């Protein structure tokens, strides 16, 4: 990579940041499109976050991604935040505008919806029923995006109070239900989404009565390490359509790349293979 004096710069701010796949992902696109630019891993301590963001802006960076633990703190440094960031309660993308304004966006929910649309082009959301497991940061962004697409959401979480608080915060066609209600919820589900940490490498898969799902149901897991989680494999064995979590990771990166580098990048099999080269297909230990 050879940069000119007017190279476009962006990066990911996290603490730690070494685990982030974003530099590899954006680096692939920069190379593919021959862009005079770079995307850097930026380890930033929590107490230095606001100063670091303003310094990057002052150094001429175009913006960056924000990962743990800064996603909520990013609100305080932004001059404006998008509706998706407000709804998600977190910022994952920063854009530094020409006049110096710092704009915060959240693309996780959009990335989730886009990943489903690209895997299943006939899929529609209006009036569909989604059963969403989890009430953490990712579940919140997904719930908000599904509601905005016109779906109805039943939110189920290990800690019911968190699901109830999230349903109240988002409002609209969303209800919080107990884990024990899944038997009754699944027969009406068009979409089952795991947005908990269950199924990550080294963790058990969620125990679910998948036999209660109708044949039309689509099962998706936002966990992408391993790529084919125990939940997805169980759903495949029942003949259900499945979508894995890697697509969400890839699609959520597109709006930032477009804003900083000027091209809406394509998510395809070559990118997917490159970004997931070190991700195990299944968890052998499960
Ligand atoms: P988070 O804010 O920490 O939330 C974790 C969620 O998992 C909570 O709902 C929590 O329930 C639940 N959970 C954790 N351990 C559990 C267990 N043993 N049994 C039942 N539920 C359990 O995390 P997050 O940021 O939302 O991320 C959740 C998952 O999504 C992670 O695996 C992450 O890697 C993945 N993710 C994927 C993408 C993508 O692009 N594909 C993006 C973001 C996140 P409680 O409320 O009861 O604690």
């Amino acid at each position: 990579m050879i940069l000119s004096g007017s190279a476009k710069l962006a990066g990911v701010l996290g603490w730690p940041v070494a685990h982030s796949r974003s530099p590899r992902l954006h680096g692939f696109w920069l190379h593919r499109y021959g862009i005079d630019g770079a995307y850097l891993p930026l380890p930033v301590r929590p107490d230095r976050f606001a100063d670091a963001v303003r310094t990057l802006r002052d150094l001429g960076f175009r913006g960056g991604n924000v990962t743990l633990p800064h996603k909520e703190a990013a609100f305080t440094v932004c001059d404006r935040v998008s509706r998706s960031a407000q709804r998600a309660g977190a910022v994952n993308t920063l854009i530094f505008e020409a006049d110096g304004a710092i704009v915060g966006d959240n693309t996780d929910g959009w990335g989730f919806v886009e990943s489903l649309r690209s895997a299943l082009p006939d899929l529609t959301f209006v009036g569909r029923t989604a059963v969403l497991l989890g009430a953490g940061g990712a579940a919140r962004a997904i719930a908000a995006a599904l509601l905005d697409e016109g779906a109805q959401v039943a939110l189920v979480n290990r800690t019911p109070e968190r699901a109830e608080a999230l349903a109240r915060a988002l409002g609209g066609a969303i209800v919080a239900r107990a884990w024990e209600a899944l038997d009754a919820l699944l027969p009406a589900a068009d979409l089952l989404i795991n947005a908990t940490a269950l199924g990550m490498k080294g963790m058990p898969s969620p125990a679910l009565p998948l036999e209660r799902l109708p044949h039309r149901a689509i099962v998706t897991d936002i966990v992408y390490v391993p790529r084919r989680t125990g939940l997805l494999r169980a759903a495949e064995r029942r003949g259900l359509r499945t979508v894995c979590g890697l697509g969400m990771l890839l699609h959520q990166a597109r709006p930032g790349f477009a804003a900083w580098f000027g091209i809406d990048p394509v998510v395809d099999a070559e990118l997917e293979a490159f970004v997931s080269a070190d991700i195990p297909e299944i968890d052998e230990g499960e």
Side-chain angles (χ1 to χ4, degrees):
M1 176 184 61
I2 297 174
L3 300 176
S4 80
S6 54
K8 298 167 180 156
L9 301 176
V12 55
L13 295 89
W15 185 261
V17 81
H19 66 282
S20 173
R21 288 176 196 278
S22 294
R24 193 169 164 83
L25 166 52
H26 288 276
F28 178 93
W29 280 329
L30 287 168
H31 179 71
R32 169 181 276 179
Y33 296 112
I35 291 171
D36 181 19
Y39 182 102
L40 308 171
L42 300 165
V44 177
R45 306 179 75 93
D47 58 334
R48 306 293 301 148
F49 179 73
D51 283 345
V53 171
R54 292 191 192 103
T55 301
L56 290 171
R57 188 256 329 258
D58 295 346
L59 287 170
F61 273 60
R62 301 290 178 112
N65 287 119
V66 178
T67 189
L68 297 178
H70 306 309
K71 285 185 170 192
E72 283 88 24
F75 272 98
T76 56
V77 76
C78 289
D79 298 303
R80 289 198 310 281
V81 295
S82 67
R83 181 172 178 275
S84 339
Q86 272 164 356
R87 294 270 283 161
V91 166
N92 76 343
T93 303
L94 294 171
I95 295 158
F96 304 151
E97 297 199 328
D99 64 358
I102 300 172
V103 178
D105 193 9
N106 189 303
T107 62
D108 278 335
W110 182 87
F112 172 78
V113 166
E114 278 293 296
S115 80
L116 286 187
R117 282 214 172 99
S118 97
L120 305 165
D122 295 336
L123 181 65
T124 55
F125 291 94
V126 177
R128 302 279 180 220
T129 298
V131 174
L132 175 58
L133 308 177
R140 179 170 175 149
I142 290 170
L146 288 172
L147 292 171
D148 290 349
E149 290 290 334
Q152 303 165 25
V153 179
L155 196 59
V156 177
N157 193 47
R158 174 180 62 179
T159 311
E161 297 78 17
R162 283 188 85 191
E164 286 155 17
L166 179 49
R168 268 198 308 276
L170 290 176
I174 180 167
V175 286
R177 292 276 182 260
W179 202 277
E180 299 72 44
L182 280 169
D183 262 350
L185 288 171
L186 292 188
D190 298 296
L191 197 55
L192 172 66
I193 305 145
N194 177 39
T196 73
L198 286 171
M200 282 172 72
K201 197 168 182 315
M203 279 189 97
S205 296
L208 300 171
L210 292 185
E211 68 284 358
R212 308 278 296 161
L213 282 170
H215 288 299
R216 66 170 190 281
I218 295 155
V219 178
T220 173
D221 200 331
I222 70 161
V223 169
Y224 57 86
V225 182
R227 288 193 56 177
R228 290 176 64 233
T229 61
L231 171 62
L232 294 183
R233 286 184 294 137
E236 282 160 15
R237 283 196 294 275
R238 299 202 62 78
L240 299 169
R241 289 176 295 168
T242 62
V243 179
C244 92
L246 193 64
M248 174 177 168
L249 175 78
L250 304 180
H251 284 279
Q252 62 77 29
R254 282 172 44 205
F257 190 91
W260 310 317
F261 301 117
I263 288 178
D264 182 10
V266 171
V267 170
D268 60 11
E270 198 189 344
L271 172 73
E272 197 171 316
F274 181 76
V275 173
S276 66
D278 62 338
I279 301 180
E281 187 69 8
I282 61 169
D283 183 358
E284 300 287 355
E286 200 187 23

